[in-house]
Amino acid sequence: MLLFFYRAELNAFLGGGRGGDVGVGVSGGGLGKTGLVVGSRVGDREIEMEVDAALMGTSKLPDGVEVKSSSQVAFSASKSDGRYDQVGLVADVVQELKVVFLELEKRAGNKKDFFRLLERVKQEYGPLGGHPSVGALTGFVVERASFHLTADEVDNLWY
């Protein structure tokens, strides 16, 4: 095994080198007196590089950096301290809910009127029970409702 890895040094030692090409004792194909690498065949150099890589290992990642696979990467909406400044379906439904609560306030509506008006919103936007932001919509309704909603009513609000 040692003969395989230190073949260049062994050949230089046993063969006495070629004139002034004697190694200076640096392991892994050291420099000779003329500055040329002893045992500079392509196969020897590849072996040396593999041995060096095995001895040193891989480099350490900087603090706070880690390697993730593409299946572990996901993007989510940022929390915006209670503001509903999103664009799209959620913003449209929130606007409709504001109109519903404004109508209830003007007409002194009750819980029955709220569910009737909410049905109109659900018909326009479809069932929202599986939407990722349904929790924000439910929180918006619970905050602004002037009447008590039971846990069952809150759970079935968007179905």
Side-chain angles (χ1 to χ4, degrees), residues 102-115:
L102 188 61
E103 270 186 57
L104 287 175
E105 188 178 314
K106 284 182 182 177
R107 294 186 191 176
N110 57 14
K111 187 190 287 190
K112 185 178 177 183
D113 295 330
F114 168 73
F115 282 111

Side-chain angles (χ1 to χ4, degrees), residues 42-107:
V42 175
D44 291 341
R45 190 71 193 145
E46 289 175 4
I47 292 171
E48 285 180 31
M49 289 172 52
E50 287 177 14
V51 169
D52 288 343
L55 290 176
M56 292 184 61
T58 59
S59 62
K60 181 183 176 230
L61 294 173
D63 290 337
V65 176
E66 58 184 313
V67 177
K68 297 277 187 182
S69 70
S70 61
S71 63
Q72 294 174 318
V73 176
F75 299 98
S76 65
S78 64
K79 306 276 183 198
S80 60
D81 66 349
R83 293 188 184 132
Y84 299 99
D85 53 1
Q86 301 172 351
V87 177
L89 181 69
V90 175
D92 293 343
V93 173
V94 167
Q95 186 61 37
E96 289 289 330
L97 289 172
K98 287 179 181 178
V99 170
V100 165
F101 285 117
L102 188 61
E103 270 186 57
L104 287 175
E105 188 178 314
K106 284 182 182 177
R107 294 186 191 176

